[in-house]
Amino acid sequence: MEILKKKGITLPAGWQFLVLVPFSLCYGAFIVLGNWQKSAEYSNLQNIGRIILWAAAAYAVLLIFCMVVPRKDDLKRRPGRWYVFLVFFAICLLSYLPYYLMYYPTWFNNDAIWQLEQILGWKARSNHHPYFHTMIMQVFVTIGYKVSGTYTGAVAFYTFWQMALVAFTFAFCLYVLYKRGTRLLWLILAVGFYIALPVHGMLSICMGKDAFFVSALVFFAWMSHTFDLEKEKGGRQWILYFVTGLSVCLLRSNGILIFAGTAFVEIVYKWCCKRKESGRVVPVRTLACAAAVLACYLLYQGPILKGMQVEKADTIEGLTMPTQHLLCAYMRGGSLTEEEIAMMERVVPLEQMEEYYNPYLFDVTKNLIREEGNQQAIAENKWEYFKLWLRVGLRNPMLYLEGEVRQTAGYWAYRVPHGQYLYGEYFMVDNPFGITAERKLFTYDQSLAMGRYLQGFQDLYNKVWSLGLNTWVMLLSLAYLAWQRKRALCYVPYIMLLVSLLLASPVYNEFRYAYGLFAAFPLLFGYTFGPFEKREEGDSHTEKGAAVSE
């Protein structure tokens, strides 16, 4: 016993043995279901046994990990220095600047082209891509056009400030780690993570909503962990919580699910797990802030967008999973009645499914429905189609599970058939604005060499990492937090991000959809494995003045 204590290894309490069980079962299910082709060779009972065996192995690994990794109670904060933040910001910005100059004026994609056409009045306004981001884009594009007089200068102006926002966000993460007393080695590794991986530089100049959403999500996760609105006396924290929460809702179609889920967990946690103080049990202030965010979101989505004549996203856009479930049951010879097949045919041209059905990519089927199907039938008969999905699912549960696994496996399975999509093509896409690449750093031939370098990094990245590994690492971190009885609120927005992808992801392995979790790892690891004070534990209260200063 003494030898174990000297090595920093403590024997677990009885409750600690139990707390690892759900995480182990998750790993077991991920391993078995992730390899669906092999699992299909076994019976349901055999697969349950395989899940239990893999869960037992995962439990042993988690137990050893949690016992060996020492608990650090030596949080020694560093004093806040504004110039330290500026140094981090300058380092990040300068590391992304070469990508900006090599791909000047921007890394244009088809989504951004559609948004720019809306800004110029060439296309009808649409909330398919969050119109809140389109309005942000419009502000910077308008200023850039007035300054430069060209569309090239306009998008370059927007892209520069988007890149600056990404640099600001990652500099903030580094600054929080610095102030928390993170050891120098880990701080250096965190800096390297943000400046050395090309994925950060490329997505910082990609003209789209992802950079803004990732930034909003990082700040919202930090707010959720750092501030207890029931304790804060000033209004600044409430305003920050409101702004970051509403930004998450408005910058991504699944943002409302992330915010609502996080707010619910936070309210339940404060209601049930916090010690009673001043006779207050119900977290009134947190409830009020969450309600204010939801009210503003509904106001924006309803009267405001309607008044601005912004079209809503079409019906089929948010029905990835129900449609894929039904199509999997149909394509795999499940039990469906003639009436149920007829209901499906009103929406989907089933005779073309042999050619168009893709269990990993719903966009192909979705576009076919838009062009040749009738999604209006669903809009006019929502309840009937919900009952159709439910009836077929009750008779074909395993085929529904297969459809779910194939459409989402990239986000939770360790190995998947195809590499994740990181960047796409490394050149300016054709556009109606006459914008062409005007590289400022290298010549055209050298820029092609840069494209080969990025492709090589993408191939290497897919060999050593995956989106599923993101989820595995998050589960490992959560298991350690549960073992140590530390608060895990910083992870809740990212858990909700994963849940939203399981409910509605149109692509089974799209990097940018889960980029928010990957980008936040240095900050999350700082809260998980870095030094902490007793008041950061699950049965303690949030930091007060020190938290505000972060």
Side-chain angles (χ1 to χ4, degrees):
M1 185 71 70
E2 293 297 326
I3 295 176
L4 292 176
K5 289 183 178 180
K6 288 180 180 179
K7 292 185 176 182
I9 301 175
T10 58
L11 293 179
W15 64 268
Q16 288 178 305
F17 284 106
L18 295 176
V19 79
L20 299 180
V21 172
F23 299 100
S24 304
L25 290 173
C26 281
Y27 280 118
F30 288 168
I31 293 171
V32 172
L33 295 178
N35 192 350
W36 185 265
Q37 292 297 116
K38 182 176 182 179
S39 299
E41 300 173 1
Y42 298 92
S43 68
N44 293 342
L45 186 60
Q46 288 175 319
N47 280 320
I48 291 174
R50 294 174 65 218
I51 290 174
I52 293 174
L53 289 174
W54 277 111
Y59 184 89
V61 173
L62 289 176
L63 183 62
I64 294 172
F65 178 83
C66 291
M67 289 180 63
V68 170
V69 175
R71 165 179 170 149
K72 298 180 177 64
D73 295 320
D74 56 343
L75 178 57
K76 296 179 181 178
R77 293 185 174 277
R78 297 185 179 98
R81 298 286 187 264
W82 61 268
Y83 54 82
V84 174
F85 173 80
L86 288 183
V87 169
F88 286 139
F89 174 72
I91 291 173
C92 291
L93 186 64
L94 290 174
S95 70
Y96 305 149
L97 193 59
Y99 297 95
Y100 177 68
L101 296 176
M102 282 185 285
Y103 284 85
Y104 186 91
T106 190
W107 179 25
F108 227 164
N109 57 40
N110 292 320
D111 293 348
I113 290 175
W114 186 14
Q115 289 179 279
L116 189 54
E117 287 174 332
Q118 294 176 49
I119 292 171
L120 298 176
W122 297 2
K123 292 285 180 69
R125 297 172 179 175
S126 172
N127 201 37
H128 177 86
H129 299 294
Y131 194 71
F132 182 73
H133 174 256
T134 303
M135 290 191 291
I136 294 174
M137 185 186 293
Q138 182 172 4
V139 171
F140 288 97
V141 166
T142 301
I143 295 173
Y145 188 80
K146 288 183 178 179
V147 171
S148 66
T150 64
Y151 292 138
T152 297
V155 299
F157 186 81
Y158 165 84
T159 304
F160 177 83
W161 289 107
Q162 177 182 276
M163 179 180 63
L165 172 66
V166 172
F168 179 90
T169 301
F170 295 158
F172 178 81
C173 293
L174 295 170
Y175 185 64
V176 170
L177 294 176
Y178 167 82
K179 286 197 62 180
R180 286 177 52 82
T182 302
R183 293 177 181 177
L184 184 60
L185 174 61
W186 290 106
L187 195 58
I188 292 174
L189 290 176
V191 172
F193 174 85
Y194 285 128
I195 69 174
L197 297 182
V199 62
H200 300 306
M202 288 303 297
L203 289 179
S204 74
I205 64 167
C206 179
M207 194 172 179
K209 57 185 176 292
D210 300 298
F212 278 84
F213 174 73
V214 168
S215 295
L217 192 59
V218 165
F219 284 112
F220 180 62
W222 169 77
M223 285 285 304
S224 299
H225 178 87
T226 304
F227 295 133
D228 184 349
L229 299 183
E230 305 307 309
K231 302 293 179 183
E232 304 298 342
K233 295 181 179 180
R236 184 178 64 174
Q237 291 74 35
W238 305 341
I239 295 173
L240 287 174
Y241 184 88
F242 174 83
V243 171
T244 56
L246 186 60
S247 297
V248 168
C249 292
L250 299 182
L251 285 169
R252 202 64 180 264
S253 57
N254 61 339
I256 182 60
L257 298 176
I258 296 171
F259 173 80
T262 303
F264 176 78
V265 171
E266 190 171 357
I267 290 167
V268 170
Y269 166 76
K270 291 178 180 178
W271 195 348
C272 300
C273 302
K274 288 289 211 176
R275 294 174 181 174
K276 299 178 183 179
E277 287 191 4
S278 305
R280 181 184 294 120
V281 178
V282 178
V284 177
R285 293 175 179 175
T286 306
L287 274 169
C289 281
V293 171
L294 293 175
C296 290
Y297 171 79
L298 292 175
L299 182 66
Y300 170 82
Q301 290 289 336
I304 293 178
L305 288 184
K306 185 177 181 180
M308 297 174 65
Q309 298 181 333
V310 178
E311 298 175 354
K312 295 181 179 180
D314 55 7
T315 302
I316 201 63
E317 179 66 26
L319 296 177
T320 297
M321 292 309 166
T323 308
Q324 287 290 70
H325 293 160
L326 286 166
L327 287 177
C328 183
Y330 174 77
M331 297 297 296
R332 300 277 288 149
S335 175
L336 287 87
T337 66
E338 293 184 1
E339 179 184 358
E340 290 166 345
I341 295 175
M343 285 188 67
M344 292 176 61
E345 284 182 325
R346 293 177 202 164
V347 179
V348 187
L350 295 179
E351 69 279 0
Q352 299 186 51
M353 280 300 97
E354 286 291 340
E355 179 182 357
Y356 283 91
Y357 173 67
N358 187 325
Y360 305 105
L361 178 65
F362 182 59
D363 283 347
V364 179
T365 304
K366 180 171 63 178
N367 291 331
L368 176 66
I369 293 173
R370 285 172 174 159
E371 295 171 3
E372 302 183 30
N374 180 23
Q375 55 183 314
Q376 190 63 26
I378 302 177
E380 295 173 353
N381 302 277
K382 296 183 179 68
W383 178 241
E384 294 301 320
Y385 276 91
F386 172 77
K387 290 191 292 183
L388 167 68
W389 171 79
L390 188 60
R391 287 196 308 270
V392 176
L394 290 174
R395 292 198 303 273
N396 304 275
M398 295 309 297
L399 291 177
Y400 269 34
L401 179 60
E402 178 181 342
E404 180 72 25
V405 166
R406 292 184 183 277
Q407 185 62 42
T408 63
Y411 301 106
W412 50 265
Y414 178 64
R415 292 181 178 178
V416 292
H418 315 101
Q420 59 190 313
Y421 178 88
L422 280 180
Y423 311 123
E425 303 295 345
Y426 303 101
F427 51 80
M428 174 74 69
V429 298
D430 294 332
N431 60 87
F433 317 109
I435 300 174
T436 57
E438 299 177 8
R439 296 167 177 85
K440 304 297 183 182
L441 189 59
F442 293 134
T443 65
Y444 185 80
D445 291 339
Q446 289 170 320
S447 70
L448 289 180
M450 181 62 183
R452 288 193 294 271
Y453 163 74
L454 291 173
Q455 186 63 55
F457 175 82
Q458 177 170 310
D459 295 339
L460 175 64
Y461 187 90
N462 281 321
K463 291 177 181 177
V464 301
W465 201 262
S466 67
L467 294 181
L469 195 54
N470 288 350
T471 301
W472 282 41
V473 171
M474 181 173 69
L475 279 179
L476 179 69
S477 302
L478 287 169
Y480 183 77
L481 287 173
W483 176 272
Q484 296 289 0
R485 297 187 71 178
K486 292 171 64 177
R487 290 186 296 112
L489 288 176
C490 56
Y491 281 94
V492 176
Y494 298 101
I495 297 173
M496 296 303 161
L497 173 63
L498 176 62
V499 171
S500 69
L501 292 174
L502 297 180
L503 293 175
S505 172
V507 185
Y508 95 117
N509 198 27
E510 178 78 16
F511 178 82
R512 63 189 181 92
Y513 288 165
Y515 175 52
L517 173 59
F518 182 76
F521 269 147
L523 181 63
L524 297 176
F525 289 167
Y527 285 128
T528 305
F529 304 109
F532 67 98
E533 292 177 308
K534 193 169 185 178
R535 59 191 165 189
E536 288 185 320
E537 297 181 39
D539 58 350
S540 302
H541 302 298
T542 39
E543 305 167 25
K544 296 182 181 179
V548 175
S549 65
E550 281 189 352

